Amino acid sequence: MRPGNLLPAREMTAAWSLMLLLALLAWLLVVGQASGSEMGPGTMGLGLPLFLLLWVIMMAAMMFPSVSPVAITWVRGIGRQSSGTVRAARVTQFVGGYLIAWTAFGLAVYGILTVTGRLVDSHPEAGRWIGAGAFLLAGLHQFSPLKNVCLRHCRSPMGQLVRYAGYRSRARDLRVGAHHGLYCVGCCWGLMIVLVPLGTMNIAAMAGLAVVIFIEKLWRLGPVFSTAVGVVFLVLAALAPFQSWLLPGLEHSGPSMQPMTLSD
């Protein structure tokens, strides 16, 4: 069953419109922040709390369109069982659980950026090999059993939705959101890793990856497309040591990187 068949067309259109609006608001925040930042290695002067806040906004922008079929279906079930404040609390738990999974991965990304930033500062030529390694890792992940399992879950979630209905009621929505979020992380972490060489605040790269994720999860030929993306990453891995323009996120764009704050 395709994700688009989980709801009638009219309801799916209205619900997707809401999800896309939320994603658009997140994109506006990300673009506003990126306009005041410089491309370069490391965490761009961001402390961990501010980085995680920005990371969560980025994940909302990139992931909400592709996760909408599952999220909308679960939230629709919540609406049938609850009303008013209880419904709002349950929806918040679901979304919070999903974003908790991506926040946990954001901790790992922050550590990677910290290490790579220091390494590139002390050994600038290392950036070429770090970039090649990131593309290679992303390419191999596209062909891995983990990718296939998680992508199948994201493309055909009905069985999981039935399973989620059997969870105990206490914190069920939080657990459902976190569980589905972990599948999304398992499916897409390789794609996110390429932001290390391309630049964490590279809007064009983020938009391209968001399109890749959307096609992988919702197009009927998504698995074939996923394989093609893996081939592209392997080619980029071979080129990266010799083509520094492929690695804007590992090249200093200015004399120094100043700590950043979220713009108003």
Side-chain angles (χ1 to χ4, degrees), residues 14 96 143:
F143 300 97

Side-chain angles (χ1 to χ4, degrees), residues 7 14 26 31 59 65 107 110 120 130 137 163-164 188 198 245:
L7 288 177
V31 171
M59 293 305 101
L107 287 170
Y110 186 84
V120 172
I130 293 172
L137 190 61
R163 175 186 175 188
Y164 293 155
C188 301
L198 295 180
W245 62 271

Side-chain angles (χ1 to χ4, degrees), residues 2 35 49 57 131 140 172 176-177 220 223:
R2 295 194 307 273
S35 64
I57 295 173
L140 294 176
R172 178 173 62 181
V176 170
R220 64 183 182 86

Side-chain angles (χ1 to χ4, degrees), residues 58-171:
M58 288 169 56
M59 293 305 101
M62 297 175 68
M63 302 301 299
F64 273 13
S66 61
V67 78
S68 58
V70 176
I72 292 166
T73 303
W74 185 257
V75 169
R76 185 189 185 204
I78 290 174
R80 288 176 171 176
Q81 301 170 21
S82 310
S83 60
T85 304
V86 174
R87 178 193 300 174
R90 293 189 61 188
V91 171
T92 300
Q93 284 188 54
F94 175 84
V95 175
Y98 182 82
L99 293 178
I100 283 173
W102 278 108
T103 301
F105 183 66
L107 287 170
V109 172
Y110 186 84
I112 292 170
L113 290 173
T114 300
V115 172
T116 57
R118 291 174 180 173
L119 187 57
V120 172
D121 283 342
S122 59
H123 301 87
E125 287 300 315
R128 297 174 180 262
W129 302 104
I130 293 172
F135 285 127
L136 177 62
L137 190 61
L140 294 176
H141 178 251
Q142 292 295 106
F143 300 97
S144 70
L146 175 63
K147 174 75 176 189
N148 293 333
V149 169
C150 293
L151 186 57
R152 282 199 302 270
H153 166 88
C154 293
R155 287 177 56 81
S156 302
M158 183 58 73
Q160 291 296 331
L161 290 173
V162 173
R163 175 186 175 188
Y164 293 155
Y167 280 10
R168 294 182 179 179
S169 58
R170 186 174 183 179

Side-chain angles (χ1 to χ4, degrees), residues 180-256:
H180 187 64
L182 287 174
Y183 268 102
C184 284
V185 172
C187 181
C188 301
W189 69 263
L191 297 173
M192 298 304 173
I193 286 295
V194 303
L195 288 175
V196 174
L198 295 180
T200 309
M201 294 301 297
N202 187 329
I203 297 300
M206 289 173 55
L209 291 175
V211 171
V212 169
I213 293 167
F214 187 86
I215 293 175
E216 279 188 345
K217 292 186 177 182
L218 299 181
W219 189 32
R220 64 183 182 86
L221 297 179
V224 177
F225 179 77
S226 178
T227 299
V229 171
V231 172
V232 171
F233 284 154
L234 294 180
V235 172
L236 293 177
L239 294 176
F242 314 103
Q243 304 291 331
S244 60
W245 62 271
L246 291 172
L247 312 171
L250 294 170
E251 299 283 334
H252 285 296
S253 59
S256 63

